[in-house]
């Protein structure tokens, strides 16, 4: 058991390191060519995408891993994944709506300077897409596919970094280019994560994903719902971060 724990943790740690460090490195390098206000807007865009992903993965993805690991067969795993994916899309849409409404004003309050309003839309979309990648990674972990989960994490970071770098190189060193480059990277990462999920579930399981009847997540009272409390706990520390 200890050997299996170390094996899985090593793969996930490697994927997480690549997935988080590369896009952050591109963002920091971009500061050499960007004006202060542009860099603040670009940082706000990247930060929001990470916040949305963290809020989604804290509750839904954590419970997704637990339930998928306990599922009896591929059909049950596919049904659980379909259900949690739908919940993730709905929750991400609410978060995206929040940033579209309050993002510019909140960003200006945090950074102390007016942010470029044009980064709000790609930031909201990036957060929604990154959230789905997080749910796919959690599902792969629950399916006991540590290498595939690590690959999804690493691919997400590589594609995010590549998208941001390409946007800066070929479009321009400004916040809007970087924000849309991050969006393109997250969109491609979603495609990679979907391919890995399809491989893990096999053809039959993949068909079940799109035909599964939604399962009831509220099988316990709301006051004891694990998704709710894990999400609240994560949200309470995000402002500090």
């Amino acid at each position: 058991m200890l050997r299996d724990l170390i094996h899985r943790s090593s793969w996930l740690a490697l994927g997480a390191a690549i997935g988080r460090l590369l896009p952050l490195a591109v963002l920091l390098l971009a500061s050499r060519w960007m004006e202060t206000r542009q860099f603040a807007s670009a940082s706000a865009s990247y930060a929001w995408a990470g916040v949305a992903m963290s809020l989604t993965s804290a509750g839904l993805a954590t419970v997704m891993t637990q339930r998928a690991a306990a599922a009896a067969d591929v059909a049950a795993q596919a049904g659980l994944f379909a259900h949690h994916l739908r919940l993730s899309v709905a929750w991400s849409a609410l978060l995206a709506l929040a940033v579209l409404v309050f993002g510019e004003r909140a960003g200006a309050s945090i950074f102390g300077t007016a942010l470029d309003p044009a980064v709000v839309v790609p930031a909201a979309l990036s957060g929604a897409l990154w959230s789905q990648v997080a749910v796919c990674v959690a599902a792969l972990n629950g399916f006991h596919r540590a290498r595939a989960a690590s690959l999804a994490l690493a691919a997400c970071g590589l594609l995010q970094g590549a998208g941001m770098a390409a946007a800066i190189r070929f479009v321009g060193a400004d916040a809007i280019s970087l924000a849309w480059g991050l969006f393109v990277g997250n969109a491609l990462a979603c495609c990679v994560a979907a391919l890995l999920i399809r491989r893990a579930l096999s053809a039959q399981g993949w068909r079940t994903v799109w035909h599964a009847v939604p399962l009831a997540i509220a099988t316990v009272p709301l006051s004891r719902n694990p998704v709710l409390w894990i999400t609240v706990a994560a949200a309470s520390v995000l402002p500090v971060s």
Side-chain angles (χ1 to χ4, degrees):
M1 182 176 179
L2 179 60
R3 181 180 179 181
D4 183 55
L5 176 63
I6 295 174
H7 175 75
R8 293 191 188 190
S9 299
S10 299
W11 279 109
L12 292 173
L14 178 62
I18 297 174
R20 288 304 186 95
L21 294 180
L22 182 60
L24 183 59
V26 173
L27 177 64
L28 294 178
L29 288 173
S31 67
R32 300 178 59 184
W33 300 284
M34 300 174 70
E35 299 177 355
T36 302
R37 181 173 178 270
Q38 289 292 316
F39 181 66
S41 297
S43 299
S45 175
Y46 180 80
W48 166 253
V51 165
M53 183 276 295
S54 298
L55 279 174
T56 301
S57 62
L60 282 174
T62 301
V63 175
M64 165 86 257
T65 298
Q66 296 170 348
R67 291 177 172 173
D73 51 35
V74 173
Q77 290 179 337
L80 283 167
F81 173 70
H83 176 59
H84 284 80
L85 183 63
R86 289 166 184 162
L87 289 174
S88 174
V89 170
W91 177 227
S92 299
L94 287 175
L95 292 175
L97 181 62
V99 78
L100 287 173
V101 175
F102 303 108
E104 183 182 356
R105 184 184 308 170
S109 300
I110 293 171
F111 286 96
T113 184
L115 300 180
D116 193 334
V119 304
V120 174
V121 172
L125 295 175
S126 291
L129 291 174
W130 199 352
S131 297
Q132 310 323 309
V133 175
V135 170
C136 289
V137 170
L140 290 168
N141 192 28
F143 300 160
H144 305 288
R145 301 295 183 96
R147 291 190 182 186
S150 176
L151 179 59
L153 283 169
C156 184
L158 289 170
L159 291 169
Q160 285 176 341
M164 293 160 64
I168 293 172
R169 173 66 177 82
F170 297 108
V171 181
D174 54 51
I176 300 174
S177 299
L178 189 142
W180 281 111
L182 179 64
F183 164 76
V184 171
N186 280 309
L188 293 174
C190 278
C191 295
V192 172
L195 289 174
L196 292 170
I197 288 287
R198 181 173 184 175
R199 180 180 297 180
L201 290 176
S202 74
Q204 179 182 0
W206 181 250
R207 285 193 297 269
T208 303
V209 169
W210 304 113
H211 297 92
V213 177
L215 304 175
I217 194 169
T219 54
V220 296
L222 185 62
S223 61
R224 292 183 299 174
N225 191 297
V227 174
L228 171 65
W229 289 108
I230 296 174
T231 302
V232 169
S236 67
V237 300
L238 282 175
V240 179
S241 301

